Amino acid sequence: MDDGTLQTNAQAAALKAVKGMNDILPNESALWQAFYRTAEYVLARHGFAYMQTPILEHTQVFVRGIGEVTDIVEKEMYTFTDHLNGDMLTLRPEGTAACIRAVNEHHLLHDGPKRVWYQGPMFRHERPQRGRYRQFHQLGIESLGFAKADADAELIMLTHALFKSLHILDGLVLHINNLGDAAHRRAHKEALIHYFNQHHAQLDEDSQRRLHTNPLRILDSKNPQLHELIEAAPRLADYIDGEAAAHFETLCQLLDALGIAYQRNHRLVRGLDYYNRTVFEWVSDELGAQGTLCGGGRYDPLMALMGGKDAPAVGCAMGIERILALYAAHFQAPQNIDAYLVYVGEAAQKAAFALARDLRALGAHIVMHIAPQEMQSLKAQMKKANQSGARFAMILGDDELSKGVISIKNLRHEHQQQTLPLSQVNAVYDHISASYI
Ligand code: HAM
């Protein structure tokens, strides 16, 4: 029992991260940052503004937003009672419901539609495996207040542009489907219940349960034994007409005009309740079972369902870990350290600090040698300089200091060494930053 009096002799057990929750280590961070940079650039070019909501919300935000009879709400949410005031809180499992809560709360649509995006950690208590984590990161994009199919097309065009910029587009397939409006789904649902009731004995336990709660989810079943039965089930597409059918037709025409290839996937229903009309997913076959990189669609009823003023919307979110699993093959971390600064002696140390400060102010990337304990020999410091990946070593020894100069050694070309006056910071900067090799 841990009573606070820790063992004195035995070593304390090493602490570990929570299962399914990962650290992003320094050797991976350049990849993450490059992804964010590219995404920010593409999003800004499409007129989307960044917003951020808290990681914790009142549980009702997700129960109402995502739907009570969904895998997420039924079994994947990290929900707890705040001991201080009894509030029921949930670590956000996705961003859309939270985003709409914020949009309603701050009346963001009072002066017209908005295009927004967000990113950050999401939490789902799923069984961890490659590409599926309990804390994962999403980048979400929402077009709010736009009713027509041009907004759906713009969103797909944006994700297409982003995946192209990341050089991962080639292996991806875009699946799209039309879920129609509520009346279409009601008619289809009745037909489905009738059909599956006729084949009740063939259904697995999960599907028998869903028959009475959410029969649409049976179509999403991964059970191969149900495959044939599902293939022959009544198709929603046959129950959709009028504006909802025309909406989808316009989207397809816009995608055709843009040359964006897609597959009409009648089985695509998505795991969240808020969708109507357009739904889509970008899928890779390189990531095994967790191949969906990005999913989304239109969710016109959600704003009113969450207590706001009725307004149409369309959006999507991508799993950043899954994108990076593909992007890593196309990414090379930049070596952007200009110079590693070594020095010997206390007087040189002071001059070296000042030089590093002045060069950084000009824009140079400088790493200074910091000795683990005592001042180290020039040889030991030069070894570190060579390992650092810097293009130059700058050397400030006794000799240099007495002459008021700095020696600059090119670490990628042997025998090239230059000496410049310490007082001429601009000349030193030009030398280490301009000579690209
Ligand atoms: P979602 O399909 O639940 O949609 O999640 C979107 C993406 O997040 C997935 O396609 C996947 O790449 C990633 N993802 C989901 N769960 C995990 C996990 N456990 N580990 C790693 N990655 C995961 C939504 O969340 C909707 N909010 C999307 C949306 C936005 N619809 C309209 N606007």
Side-chain angles (χ1 to χ4, degrees):
M1 200 183 82
D2 183 2
D3 59 359
T5 54
L6 277 179
Q7 318 91 306
T8 42
N9 296 327
Q11 188 165 6
L15 296 166
K16 294 253 166 67
V18 176
K19 189 175 171 195
M21 305 203 177
N22 301 313
D23 300 305
I24 299 168
L25 299 173
N27 65 346
E28 304 161 301
S29 57
L31 180 67
W32 283 77
Q33 286 168 324
F35 166 76
Y36 286 129
R37 261 199 308 278
T38 306
E40 275 174 27
Y41 182 74
V42 172
L43 284 154
R45 289 191 154 205
H46 288 76
F48 282 73
Y50 182 69
M51 70 178 277
Q52 200 166 304
T53 60
I55 287 170
L56 272 182
E57 295 277 348
H58 292 290
T59 303
Q60 271 308 308
V61 169
F62 303 113
V63 174
R64 233 203 275 175
I66 299 171
E68 227 152 332
V69 194
T70 54
D71 281 353
I72 296 179
V73 172
E74 275 181 351
K75 51 190 185 208
E76 294 170 2
M77 296 208 303
Y78 284 91
T79 294
F80 59 92
T81 309
D82 182 336
H83 292 299
L84 298 178
N85 59 10
D87 284 354
M88 278 273 278
L89 303 177
T90 295
L91 278 170
R92 63 179 181 197
E94 60 103 48
T96 307
C99 173
I100 298 310
R101 192 271 307 142
V103 166
N104 286 341
E105 190 169 338
H106 303 285
H107 310 290
L108 286 190
L109 302 189
H110 80 280
D111 58 350
K114 293 274 177 311
R115 294 176 173 89
V116 300
W117 70 279
Y118 51 81
Q119 55 75 30
M122 307 289 160
F123 304 85
R124 296 184 193 177
H125 201 284
E126 298 189 82
R127 198 167 45 76
Q129 55 171 259
R130 185 169 78 112
R132 186 166 72 191
Y133 310 103
R134 289 181 175 172
Q135 177 180 306
F136 60 98
H137 295 77
Q138 273 188 352
L139 188 147
I141 310 163
E142 317 285 0
S143 291
L144 308 161
F146 300 97
K148 300 280 185 204
D150 47 2
D152 311 19
E154 179 186 64
L155 198 69
I156 291 177
M157 180 166 75
L158 189 164
T159 52
H160 181 271
L162 174 58
F163 298 147
K164 191 165 181 200
S165 299
L166 296 170
H167 308 287
I168 61 171
L169 188 62
D170 274 354
L172 303 185
V173 177
L174 171 65
H175 295 254
I176 60 174
N177 196 16
N178 185 4
L179 297 186
D181 294 330
H184 305 128
R185 286 197 300 280
R186 253 194 318 273
H188 175 241
K189 190 171 163 182
E190 276 166 27
L192 267 187
I193 293 175
H194 182 70
Y195 170 80
F196 283 124
N197 257 329
Q198 282 180 324
H199 301 87
H200 197 267
Q202 279 170 265
L203 295 177
D204 58 20
E205 206 181 308
D206 233 13
S207 302
Q208 285 182 355
R209 187 175 52 83
R210 283 176 172 157
L211 185 52
H212 301 290
T213 52
N214 191 352
L216 220 69
R217 292 300 314 273
I218 301 178
L219 304 177
D220 222 11
S221 166
K222 303 271 184 290
N223 183 349
Q225 282 168 350
L226 296 184
H227 189 77
E228 249 176 65
L229 192 67
I230 289 170
E231 276 297 300
R235 280 189 170 182
L236 176 59
D238 298 328
Y239 294 80
I240 299 173
D241 54 12
E243 260 188 59
H247 184 109
F248 193 68
E249 188 54 35
T250 306
L251 169 64
C252 293
Q253 283 168 7
L254 283 167
L255 293 179
D256 290 339
L258 285 165
I260 297 178
Y262 55 87
Q263 277 181 17
R264 175 83 194 257
N265 179 352
H266 291 276
R267 308 231 327 254
L268 183 65
V269 292
R270 311 251 322 120
L272 304 93
D273 268 3
Y274 47 59
Y275 295 109
N276 70 320
R277 300 198 178 183
T278 311
V279 287
F280 66 92
E281 283 184 357
W282 285 97
V283 181
S284 159
D285 59 11
E286 282 177 49
L287 299 175
Q290 307 305 322
T292 307
L293 253 66
C294 172
R298 185 159 277 285
Y299 53 94
D300 299 327
L302 186 63
M303 212 88 69
L305 193 76
M306 305 261 318
K309 215 166 141 225
D310 201 13
V314 57
C316 68
M318 52 195 85
I320 300 179
E321 282 83 355
R322 293 183 191 179
I323 288 176
L324 297 188
L326 298 179
Y327 179 40
H330 305 277
F331 173 75
Q332 204 167 9
Q335 293 274 18
N336 57 2
I337 298 171
D338 295 312
Y340 191 98
L341 179 49
V342 307
Y343 50 87
V344 183
E346 272 173 34
Q349 187 178 47
K350 293 195 179 82
F353 266 86
L355 178 64
R357 177 198 59 204
D358 295 345
L359 287 170
R360 287 175 185 140
L362 291 172
H365 292 63
I366 308 289
V367 173
M368 280 193 68
H369 184 78
I370 300 284
Q373 283 148 9
E374 263 125 64
M375 193 79 74
Q376 286 177 306
S377 72
L378 197 57
K379 198 169 160 220
Q381 293 193 39
M382 284 305 289
K383 202 169 155 200
K384 290 277 179 224
N386 275 305
Q387 291 166 350
S388 73
R391 294 182 296 122
F392 293 93
M394 295 195 295
I395 303 147
L396 197 53
D398 289 341
D399 196 30
E400 280 86 1
L401 198 62
S402 65
K403 292 184 188 146
V405 297
I406 180 100
S407 296
I408 305 175
K409 185 173 190 293
N410 190 323
L411 294 175
R412 301 201 187 150
H413 285 265
E414 285 292 329
H415 313 301
Q416 284 189 12
Q417 189 153 326
Q418 176 106 14
T419 304
L420 288 171
L422 261 178
S423 56
Q424 292 183 17
V425 180
N426 280 309
V428 176
Y429 173 75
D430 286 346
H431 188 79
I432 61 171
S433 61
S435 333
Y436 270 92
I437 44 175

